[in-house]
Structure formats: C-alpha cells, structure tokens
Amino acid sequence: MSDRKQINKYYPPDYDPSKGSLNTFVGQHPLRERANKLHLGILVVRFEMPYNVWCEHCNAHIGKGVRYNAQKRQIGTYYSTKVWEFSMPCHLCHGLLVVRTDPKNADYVMHAGVRRQAVADDAEEAGVLRFRDEDHRDKLQNDVMYRLEHRERDRTEAKKDEPRVLQLQRLNKRLSADSEYDVKRAMRNALWARKRSAHKKQRVARKHKLGDLVLTTPHPDDVAASKAMRFKAIRKASSSRRERRDRRMAAAFGVDSERTIRRAENNDNDDDGAKKQQETTKEKTKKQKKKQKKKHRKKNKKQEDEQLQPASSSSNASTAVVAAAYLSSSSSDGDDDGND
C-alpha cells in the first residue's frame, strides 16, 4: 500500500499548479505517515538487524536480517560523521530495542533492550585466511621458545595457503592493470549473458506450454544416454513370456493353467466381437450403396425430364400450325360454295 501511495498520480478537479506541487496543495509530506514526527527529528525507516541478538525483555533470540519499522534520529556526531539511533519494538514482546551506529569502529552498538550474541570468529570455519596480529609477531621476534613452538605449524599453514595467496595476488595484479571501465564492461557482459540464457529458456518453456517450469541446459552425458536408449513393446514381450511359461506348465503337469483357459476364452470373445463388427460394417456399406443408387436414379430421371420438355413444346407448336391451316382452308371452301 505504501508503494501505491507513493506513485499516486490523482489530481483533484480544484488543483491549481500555481500553488505548488500536489503534496503542497493537499497539505501532506511526500513521505506521508513516515514523516509524522519529522518536526522532532524522527523519521520511520526500514531497519534490518545487523547481528544475531537476544532480546533482554523476553530473552528471545532475534536472527540476523530480521526487519523492523524503526524510528531513526541523530544523537551526535563523530567528527563530521553523524551518529544515528534506531529504536524499534520487539516483534515478540513489544519491548523497546535501541541500536546505535559506531563510526569510530565501523560497527553497531547494542544500546538498550538488546544484547549481541557472542560468537567466536574462526577463520578456518569461515574459509578465509587468518592473519597474525601484532602481539603474535612481537612474540615471534622476542621469545625463542614461542618461536620454536610455532615455527613448524606456521610452515605447514604457509604451504597450505600459498596457492590461494598466489591466486589473490594474480587477481589483484590483473584488476589493477585493467581500467575500471574494462572491469565493469566484463561484469555487464557476464550479467547480460545470464539474462539472455534465462530469457531463451523462458521462451522455450512458453513454446512447449510448460508454464513456470524452466528447462535446464542438457548435460552431454544425458544426451548420450538418451540416444543409446531403445524402447520395446512391453505388452508383446510380457504376453509372449506368459505364454511360454504356460506352455512349460502344461507340458510339466499335463493340464492347461487357468490363465491359458481364460486367455483362450478371451480370444474367442474377441473373435466373435470382430465378426460382429465386420457384419455391421458390411451392412453399413450396403445401405450406403443403396442410398447412392437412389440418388443416381433421381438425378438421371431429372435430366431426362429436362430433355423432354423442349421436344413437347415444339410438337405443340406444329399441331397449332396444322390446325390453323385446316381452319383457313375450310373457310375458303365455304366461300367458294356461296359464290356458286
């Protein structure tokens, strides 16, 4: 919700740009509820616990990285660096936890309501090189017995750490020789290569309708194993295996097993069903042929009727002409008789 409020672009109808920004017109701070106590020098920020700590109010353990809405305020300065204080309630007992910055030691100070968990830093467990402090170097120079005790151990540790030291030296030399632009360009190229491969996998997943499932790059061993794999008809192999076993049992005991009898019955039923299906298909084909013959007869009859229609019209016209001629001749004969 806070993100939605920060990007809200609604302008009311009575907004006047001459009066300033939208926040000024509405009469609120751009940080909204986080800046309610800004006149007291307090700003609400998102604070992440820097270490594993114990709450002194409820004796509960708070892990590193747990986040709180903390009130941030300045309580002093170390030279020109500001010293900040973060106060927040415990999420378990609502007790007040106060943490301050320590610019002098580049660290945090657990000021009130919380204590830091004591953890012994071991270089071997962390996987980093362990450097000797000044006291150790002074003892090696001044104390003969201490030097004898640690000489052999230091030699073995030096031999073990020598490859890593040489690798770090080469890396430092290469980075110092290259310009800052080249180093950043190499980092950007590697980043974009990873992004392109990820986009390509997503396109392949969308093409095959796999949803959110992203395909991994195939390993050469997997490709070779898939090419060498051959599939067989499992049903046929299993049925033939069962038939051989039934034949061996029949030969050994002289009788057919129940499975063979049941299989024979099923085969008979399948044959009957196949015969019925063939008969039905034959009947369907006969019916279709009869329908086609009827259609063909109707079509031929219609064509014959169309051919006979013009002939009948011509015969009717000829009879009409003959009748007219007969009438005219009969009328002329009557006139001749009257004249006589």
Side-chain angles (χ1 to χ4, degrees):
M1 293 298 292
S2 60
D3 294 339
R4 181 191 61 77
K5 292 177 182 178
Q6 290 176 4
I7 61 174
N8 190 9
K9 300 298 182 182
Y10 174 72
Y11 290 87
D14 56 347
Y15 170 66
D16 187 4
S18 62
K19 294 182 180 180
S21 64
L22 183 60
N23 292 319
T24 305
F25 178 77
V26 178
Q28 64 183 5
H29 196 272
L31 298 178
R32 297 179 182 266
E33 293 85 357
R34 294 173 54 196
N36 288 338
K37 298 181 181 179
L38 197 62
H39 61 283
L40 301 175
I42 298 173
L43 178 65
V44 178
V45 296
R46 196 71 172 161
F47 180 77
E48 185 175 308
M49 194 62 68
Y51 306 108
N52 294 324
V53 297
W54 295 93
C55 178
E56 293 183 348
H57 301 285
C58 60
N59 292 327
H61 181 265
I62 301 174
K64 177 182 177 181
V66 179
R67 296 179 180 179
Y68 296 93
N69 292 330
Q71 294 183 359
K72 175 185 174 183
R73 64 174 180 173
Q74 182 184 354
I75 59 171
T77 58
Y78 175 75
Y79 293 103
S80 60
T81 304
K82 297 179 180 180
V83 179
W84 299 100
E85 181 183 85
F86 302 91
S87 58
M88 66 213 82
C90 177
H91 65 285
L92 299 172
C93 65
H94 302 287
L96 187 63
L97 311 178
V98 181
V99 181
R100 291 181 179 178
T101 59
D102 186 7
K104 181 179 180 180
N105 300 318
D107 200 357
Y108 288 92
V109 177
M110 307 300 145
H111 181 67
V114 63
R115 69 177 185 274
R116 187 172 176 179
Q117 182 180 359
V119 178
D121 295 332
D122 192 356
E124 294 181 358
E125 293 181 0
V128 297
L129 297 175
R130 183 176 59 185
F131 297 97
R132 304 300 183 182
D133 54 0
E134 295 181 359
D135 295 337
H136 178 72
R137 288 196 295 269
D138 293 340
K139 288 182 179 181
L140 287 176
Q141 292 177 2
N142 301 325
D143 193 349
V144 180
M145 297 301 295
Y146 187 82
R147 185 166 60 251
L148 288 173
E149 290 175 358
H150 291 79
R151 180 181 295 174
E152 293 299 327
R153 188 172 64 184
D154 292 343
R155 285 179 180 176
T156 55
E157 290 180 359
K159 287 181 180 179
K160 185 174 65 176
D161 296 336
E162 184 178 3
R164 296 181 62 189
V165 173
L166 294 175
Q167 184 180 3
L168 291 173
Q169 289 177 353
R170 288 195 298 268
L171 180 61
N172 189 17
K173 186 177 180 180
R174 182 172 61 83
L175 293 177
S176 61
D178 297 336
S179 62
E180 185 178 359
Y181 172 75
D182 295 333
V183 174
K184 290 184 177 180
R185 184 178 63 179
M187 293 174 64
R188 286 195 298 270
N189 291 338
L191 176 63
W192 281 110
R194 288 196 298 269
K195 286 187 176 181
R196 281 194 293 269
S197 63
H199 290 321
K200 185 177 180 181
K201 291 177 182 178
Q202 290 177 359
R203 287 197 299 271
V204 173
R206 286 196 298 269
K207 181 179 178 181
H208 295 284
K209 297 180 180 180
L210 299 177
D212 297 333
L213 182 63
V214 180
L215 298 176
T216 58
T217 55
H219 196 271
D221 296 339
D222 297 335
V223 175
S226 63
K227 289 182 178 179
M229 189 177 294
R230 294 291 183 271
F231 296 97
K232 295 181 179 179
I234 298 174
R235 290 184 177 178
K236 291 183 179 179
S238 60
S239 61
S240 61
R241 201 178 296 118
R242 285 197 298 268
E243 290 176 358
R244 288 196 299 270
R245 185 172 64 245
D246 295 338
R247 285 198 298 271
R248 286 197 298 269
M249 291 178 66
F253 298 102
V255 293
D256 292 337
S257 62
E258 294 180 359
R259 186 177 294 172
T260 55
I261 296 169
R262 198 182 308 117
R263 190 179 297 112
E265 292 176 355
N266 293 331
N267 292 332
D268 294 338
N269 295 330
D270 295 338
D271 294 338
D272 295 338
K275 289 179 180 179
K276 290 180 180 179
Q277 188 174 3
Q278 290 178 359
E279 290 176 358
T280 53
T281 52
K282 286 181 179 179
E283 290 178 358
K284 288 181 180 180
T285 52
K286 286 180 180 180
K287 290 180 180 180
Q288 290 178 358
K289 287 181 179 179
K290 286 182 180 180
K291 288 182 180 180
Q292 290 178 358
K293 286 181 180 180
K294 286 182 180 180
K295 288 182 180 180
H296 189 64
R297 288 173 183 172
K298 287 181 180 180
K299 188 176 180 181
N300 293 335
K301 188 174 182 181
K302 188 176 181 181
Q303 290 178 356
E304 290 176 358
D305 294 339
E306 290 178 355
Q307 291 176 0
L308 292 172
Q309 283 179 359
S312 61
S313 61
S314 60
S315 62
N316 293 331
S318 60
T319 52
V321 170
V322 171
Y326 177 74
L327 292 173
S328 61
S329 61
S330 62
S331 60
S332 61
D333 293 338
D335 294 335
D336 293 335
D337 295 335
N339 293 326
D340 293 337

